[in-house]
C-alpha cells in the first residue's frame, strides 16, 4: 500500500500516528505467510474506548510487517468516515483497503436497484457531528449519504418516508421530525427528502435506532403493490404460481447486512444487534401472514462469501507490496462472537481465536461447554494481545 492511496487527513491524526503512516508497509524481502482479521466491537473497542492491548497489538503487527484487516458486522457509516474514526480511536493507521464492514458488498447492488430504502445507523440529526455543530459536512447525512456515496440514485430512509407520511407512526415522535428539520442547517442536502417513488429494495445497513416506526415502514412496503408506499397488494394471501402467497407482486427485495443477535457495546452486558431487529420483523411478518417465511438475502459474517472476499483483500495487501507470488497461508480470525466470528472462520478454514472481552462469557449461556461444532474455536484467549502473541508465535505453518 503506497502512501498515495491513504485517504486519512493528517490534520485529524496524532503526530505519533502520522509517523507510523510513513513507517508501515516497508516489508523485508521475505514477507510473512500469515495474516490477521479482527472484529472490532468487543475485540479492539468497547464503545469508543480501546480495549487494553488493542493499540499495542496492531502496532506490533505493523512493526513486524504482518498484514491485517478489520472485519466487522458493524456499519452505518461510509468506509472513509469509519476508517478515519478508527485511526483516531486506536492511534493506528487504518485505511479503506484494510477495512471491511458488513454492508460494503451493497456497492455491488447499485446497478440492480433504482430506488432503495436504506435502514439502520445514524440518520440526519443523529450523528456526533450534529451534537458538535459540524452540520453539513461530509459524513453527517447518515445512512442516506452512505447509500448515495455507494452510487444509489434514489435513496429513502424511514425518516424521509415519515416526512411524506408522518401518520405512518401513529404515536408521534418529535425527535424524528426535528432531525429532518434541524434549525442549525436548513441548507443541508439531506434535509430535503427525495420525491416518493416505488421502492425496489430494502437494504438494512445497520441496527435501526427507532425500531417501532422502522418496522412499520418495512411491513407496509412488504404488503404494498410494487413497492408503492400506502398501497396494499390485492395478491396478498393469494397463491401465485411460483411466487407464493406473499411477496408476489414486485414488492421490494430485502437485504440484511448481518445476522448478529448480540454485540458488545459500552454496557457490561451485550446489546441486541441487527439480528434482534430481524427477529422482530420476521416475528411480526409470520403473525401477519399466518406463518409465511420472509424471503430475504443475508450477507456478512458468518457467511462464506464474506470470508472469501476478506481473504482476497488480505492477499491483495501482500501482493501490492511483494508481488504476485506472495500469498497468505493462514488467517487468524480474532473475534468475540461464536455465532459469527468463530462459525464463519471455521467454515472457511481460518484459524479461529475467541476472546473473553466481548459477547462470549464463560459464565453466560452455557459458557465454553456450549461451544460445539462450528462454534468451537481453536483457542480461547483472554484478550487481543494474547491472540496476537499466539498467532505470531505459530505463524503460517500447519
Amino acid at each position: 500500500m503506497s502512501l498515495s492511496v491513504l485517504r486519512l487527513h493528517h490534520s485529524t491524526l496524532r503526530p505519533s500516528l502520522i509517523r507510523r503512516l510513513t513507517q508501515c508497509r516497508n516489508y523485508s524481502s521475505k514477507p510473512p505467510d500469515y495474516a490477521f482479521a479482527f472484529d472490532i466491537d468487543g475485540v479492539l473497542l468497547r464503545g469508543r474506548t480501546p480495549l487494553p492491548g488493542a493499540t499495542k497489538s496492531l502496532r506490533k503487527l505493523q512493526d513486524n510487517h504482518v498484514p491485517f484487516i478489520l472485519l466487522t458486522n458493524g456499519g452505518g457509516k461510509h468506509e472513509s468516515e469509519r476508517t478515519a474514526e478508527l485511526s483516531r480511536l486506536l492511534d493506528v493507521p487504518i485505511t479503506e483497503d484494510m477495512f471491511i464492514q458488513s454492508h460494503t458488498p451493497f456497492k455491488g447492488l447499485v446497478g440492480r436497484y433504482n430506488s432503495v430504502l436504506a435502514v439502520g445507523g445514524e440518520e440526519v440529526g443523529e450523528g456526533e457531528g450534529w451534537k458538535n455543530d459540524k452540520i453539513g459536512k461530509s459524513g453527517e447525512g447518515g445512512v442516506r449519504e452512505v447509500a448515495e456515496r455507494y452510487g444509489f440514485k434514489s435513496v429513502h430512509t424511514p425518516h424521509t418516508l415519515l416526512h411524506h407520511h408522518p401518520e405512518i407512526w401513529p404515536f408521534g415522535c418529535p425527535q424524528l421530525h426535528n432531525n429532518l428539520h434541524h434549525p442549525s442547517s436548513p441548507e443541508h442536502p439531506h434535509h430535503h427528502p427525495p420525491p416518493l417513488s416505488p421502492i425496489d429494495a430494502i437494504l438494512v445497513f445497520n441496527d435501526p435506532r427507532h425500531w417501532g416506526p422502522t418496522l412499520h415502514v418495512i411491513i407496509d412496503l412488504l404488503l404494498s403493490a410494487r413497492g408503492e408506499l400506502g398501497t396494499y397488494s390485492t395478491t396478498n394471501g393469494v397463491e401465485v404460481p411460483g411466487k407464493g402467497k406473499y411477496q408476489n407482486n414486485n414488492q421490494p427485495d430485502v437485504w440484511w447486512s448481518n445476522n448478529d443477535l448480540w454485540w458488545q457495546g459500552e454496557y457490561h452486558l451485550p446489546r441486541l444487534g441487527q439480528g434482534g431487529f430481524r427477529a422482530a420483523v420476521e416475528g411480526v411478518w409470520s403473525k401477519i401472514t399466518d406463518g409465511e417465511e420472509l424471503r430475504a438475502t443475508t450477507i456478512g459474517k458468518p457467511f462464506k462469501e464474506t470470508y472469501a472476499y476478506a481473504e482476497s483483500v488480505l492477499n491483495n495487501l501482500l501482493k501490492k507490496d511483494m508481488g504476485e507470488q506472495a500469498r497468505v497461508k493462514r488467517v487468524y480470525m480474532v473475534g468475540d462472537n461464536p455465532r459469527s466470528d468463530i462459525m464463519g472462520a471455521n467454515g472457511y478454514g481460518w484459524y479461529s481465536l475467541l476472546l473473553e472481552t466481548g459477547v462470549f462469557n464463560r459464565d453466560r449461556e452455557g459458557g465454553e461447554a456450549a461451544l460445539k461444532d462450528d462454534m468451537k474455536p481453536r483457542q480461547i484467549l483472554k484478550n487481543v494481545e494474547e491472540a496476537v502473541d499466539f498467532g505470531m508465535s505459530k505463524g503460517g505453518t500447519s
Side-chain angles (χ1 to χ4, degrees):
M1 181 193 320
S2 65
L3 294 180
S4 63
V5 302
L6 295 176
R7 298 177 176 86
L8 301 173
H9 301 290
H10 281 197
S11 62
T12 67
L13 304 178
R14 302 184 184 94
S16 62
L17 181 52
I18 296 174
R19 288 194 297 272
R20 296 188 68 80
L21 284 169
T22 63
Q23 294 169 354
C24 65
R25 302 287 177 173
N26 295 315
Y27 288 122
S28 63
S29 58
K30 185 179 180 181
D33 58 358
Y34 64 98
F36 282 81
F38 297 94
D39 185 31
I40 298 176
D41 296 312
V43 172
L44 300 173
L45 297 173
R46 176 162 289 188
R48 299 178 62 83
T49 303
L51 285 166
T55 296
K56 177 181 177 182
S57 297
L58 297 184
R59 286 180 174 178
K60 184 174 184 178
L61 291 177
Q62 290 186 335
D63 289 343
N64 286 275
H65 317 306
V66 179
F68 68 86
I69 58 172
L70 307 188
L71 179 62
T72 176
N73 268 352
K77 294 184 178 181
H78 191 270
E79 285 76 3
S80 62
E81 305 296 331
R82 186 66 171 135
T83 51
E85 177 184 52
L86 290 168
S87 297
R88 291 192 297 270
L89 294 175
L90 293 166
D91 198 18
V92 174
I94 306 296
T95 54
E96 287 188 54
D97 53 357
M98 300 162 61
F99 178 70
I100 303 170
Q101 54 187 345
S102 63
H103 54 70
T104 300
F106 282 172
K107 295 178 181 179
L109 301 177
V110 169
R112 185 184 302 188
Y113 301 118
N114 179 49
S115 180
V116 301
L117 178 73
V119 174
E122 295 168 349
E123 296 208 36
V124 172
E126 294 183 329
E128 288 295 322
W130 294 85
K131 300 175 184 177
N132 299 325
D133 294 326
K134 298 178 182 177
I135 302 168
K137 294 187 177 181
S138 177
E140 295 304 332
V143 69
R144 181 178 165 197
E145 181 179 336
V146 175
E148 289 176 348
R149 290 175 68 180
Y150 277 10
F152 292 104
K153 301 303 181 184
S154 178
V155 180
H156 274 284
T157 69
H159 279 46
T160 65
L161 296 183
L162 285 165
H163 169 85
H164 288 288
H165 292 288
E167 66 277 9
I168 287 175
W169 184 236
F171 307 107
C173 189
Q175 180 185 351
L176 300 182
H177 181 270
N178 292 339
N179 287 345
L180 279 172
H181 301 278
H182 199 287
S184 299
S185 184
E187 297 306 317
H188 192 287
H190 294 97
H191 279 289
H192 305 284
L196 280 178
S197 60
I199 302 296
D200 301 322
I202 299 168
L203 307 181
V204 186
F205 281 72
N206 197 234
D207 317 352
R209 303 303 191 258
H210 307 279
W211 281 33
T214 301
L215 189 152
H216 252 297
V217 166
I218 290 175
I219 294 296
D220 283 346
L221 288 171
L222 291 174
L223 293 172
S224 72
R226 301 172 298 280
E228 297 178 11
L229 188 68
T231 66
Y232 186 85
S233 175
T234 58
T235 60
N236 286 332
V238 178
E239 185 70 41
V240 176
K243 295 184 177 181
K245 293 183 178 180
Y246 290 88
Q247 295 177 275
N248 56 18
N249 189 14
N250 295 317
Q251 287 88 358
D253 295 337
V254 179
W255 289 77
W256 304 98
S257 66
N258 77 73
N259 197 35
D260 281 359
L261 183 62
W262 299 108
W263 69 285
Q264 185 63 59
E266 294 185 30
Y267 191 59
H268 67 283
L269 295 176
R271 302 292 82 192
L272 287 170
Q274 188 179 142
F277 179 71
R278 173 179 178 167
V281 172
E282 291 178 338
V284 171
W285 181 253
S286 179
K287 286 289 186 181
I288 290 173
T289 63
D290 195 25
E292 290 290 312
E293 180 180 352
L294 177 63
R295 296 193 295 275
T297 302
T298 308
I299 59 175
K301 297 180 291 187
F303 298 96
K304 290 184 178 180
E305 292 81 4
T306 294
Y307 287 81
Y309 177 71
E311 187 164 309
S312 71
V313 168
L314 285 167
N315 276 308
N316 286 338
L317 286 175
L318 206 54
K319 291 177 181 179
K320 189 176 293 185
D321 291 318
M322 300 307 301
E324 290 299 316
Q325 300 305 313
R327 185 170 180 81
V328 173
K329 292 183 179 179
R330 173 180 285 182
V331 179
Y332 293 95
M333 177 72 225
V334 184
D336 69 312
N337 192 327
R339 293 185 181 276
S340 59
D341 304 318
I342 304 308
M343 184 181 292
N346 289 339
Y348 197 69
W350 286 5
Y351 200 104
S352 55
L353 302 177
L354 178 63
L355 304 190
E356 299 184 62
T357 50
V359 170
F360 172 71
N361 188 303
R362 293 180 186 271
D363 299 324
R364 291 198 301 265
E365 299 180 359
E368 188 173 352
L371 301 176
K372 298 178 180 179
D373 302 324
D374 288 346
M375 289 195 298
K376 186 176 180 63
R378 298 290 294 272
Q379 295 286 333
I380 300 177
L381 301 161
K382 291 188 179 299
N383 53 50
V384 68
E385 192 169 359
E386 282 194 9
V388 167
D389 288 344
F390 176 87
M392 292 185 72
S393 69
K394 295 290 185 181
T397 58
S398 301

